[in-house]
Amino acid sequence: MGRKFFVGGNWKCNGTLDEVKKIVNLLNDGKVPSSDVVEVVVSPPYVFLPLVKSTLRSDFHVAAQNCWVKKGGAFTGEVSAEMLKNLEVPWVILGHSERRALLGETNEFVGDKVAYALSQGLKVIACVGETLEQREAGSTMEVVAAQTKAIAEKVKDWTNIVLAYEPVWAIGTGKVASPAQAQEVHCELRKWLHANTSPEVAATTRIIYGGSVNGANSKELAGQPDLDGFLVGGASLKPEFIDIINAAVVKIA
Ligand code: PEP
């Protein structure tokens, strides 16, 4: 069985009602491969999730950009995994570097969030990635392994996890990792999964790349053997998101 290509669109904290309607129209009109080849999941801000879910084509799905670490209750400003499940939002992005860096989310906290979201029946796009300083210090693999380990310690079943490798220095900078740089880390992450979870998890878990992916660079990146899709920020708000989806290549597991 192949690893179905996965393309996520992270809209971050962007969009007015009119802009969101325009993006949905653009997606609905886009010509893309069938859902046997590519799984497309877009992640609008919370407030637009019900609208996007109800107006988006049925072969695309939605994700929240975060959820709370445990059962909801007296946690002002948070949105629980139970609420997402209740609204039939199937996916959630967890551990994005913007939250790790700006809001102090630790590896352990992200691991707890992933485990809780999965326990409530959500599917998780779990993000890992090193900063420029860490890459220059030669500790890329150490950093992403520690981030992945914090998840693996809390999770036994990886069926509903997509692992997103997002080097922080490439996010929103226009400085994309080269296909060789991305492939190297994806391959090492797969080896890490093989050694620390199981050969089956390593063979079947989709490892996607995020960091300044666009319509022009997506094709070559998508051809790398251990690269199973993309998490796209800026370009997911533009017509080129359709080109990125069309770069899909299914990898043999
Ligand atoms: C992201 O925010 O996950 C991301 C990859 O952003 P961008 O594509 O804009 O670099």
Side-chain angles (χ1 to χ4, degrees):
M1 222 189 68
R3 294 189 296 269
K4 191 192 289 188
F5 207 80
F6 185 100
V7 181
N10 177 9
W11 298 1
K12 310 194 188 196
C13 190
N14 288 301
T16 61
L17 195 52
D18 279 350
E19 285 163 355
V20 164
K21 285 179 184 166
K22 274 191 198 133
I23 299 169
V24 170
N25 286 340
L26 179 107
L27 296 173
N28 288 350
D29 291 342
K31 288 211 181 341
V32 299
S34 89
S35 53
D36 294 337
V37 173
V38 61
E39 184 168 8
V40 180
V41 175
V42 295
S43 190
Y46 282 135
V47 289
F48 299 126
L49 269 170
L51 170 75
V52 174
K53 185 176 160 52
S54 64
T55 52
L56 189 66
R57 55 196 290 169
S58 62
D59 54 338
F60 288 8
H61 299 285
V62 291
Q65 294 176 16
N66 178 42
C67 68
W68 183 227
V69 65
K70 52 187 161 184
K71 190 168 166 42
F75 302 105
T76 303
E78 294 294 343
V79 169
S80 70
E82 290 86 348
M83 290 169 193
L84 297 178
K85 191 67 190 164
N86 184 239
L87 289 185
E88 299 181 351
V89 172
W91 286 91
V92 61
I93 299 172
L94 294 173
H96 193 281
S97 65
E98 286 156 11
R99 299 190 64 85
R100 289 181 189 261
L102 297 174
L103 303 169
E105 293 196 359
T106 62
N107 291 355
E108 195 191 15
F109 187 65
V110 172
D112 285 337
K113 279 199 192 184
V114 171
Y116 192 74
L118 291 172
S119 78
Q120 296 309 302
L122 296 176
K123 296 188 264 193
V124 175
I125 302 163
C127 305
V128 300
E130 84 286 3
T131 62
L132 185 59
E133 293 71 34
Q134 290 164 335
R135 171 160 283 263
E136 286 175 349
S139 51
T140 296
M141 218 24 238
E142 195 185 310
V143 169
V144 298
Q147 291 167 335
T148 310
K149 181 167 179 266
I151 296 168
E153 280 172 350
K154 308 264 165 62
V155 164
K156 291 289 153 270
D157 185 352
W158 281 69
T159 316
N160 289 327
I161 300 181
V162 167
L163 192 58
Y165 168 57
E166 298 207 296
V168 178
W169 48 270
I171 296 182
T173 59
K175 202 175 163 202
V176 66
S178 70
Q181 280 176 321
Q183 167 58 22
E184 184 186 18
V185 179
H186 284 229
C187 178
E188 289 298 322
L189 275 171
R190 205 176 296 290
K191 281 191 207 156
W192 190 93
L193 289 174
H194 192 281
N196 296 283
T197 59
S198 74
E200 205 217 328
V201 167
T204 55
T205 299
R206 288 170 296 176
I207 305 176
I208 65 175
Y209 168 79
S212 297
V213 174
N214 61 32
N217 61 32
S218 52
K219 200 93 202 145
E220 201 185 345
L221 283 163
Q224 301 304 306
D226 287 292
L227 201 148
D228 305 312
F230 299 117
L231 185 54
V232 185
S236 71
L237 300 163
K238 301 179 187 161
E240 67 188 299
F241 190 59
I242 298 296
D243 302 330
I244 297 171
I245 298 168
N246 276 294
V249 180
V250 174
K251 307 292 155 54
I252 307 299

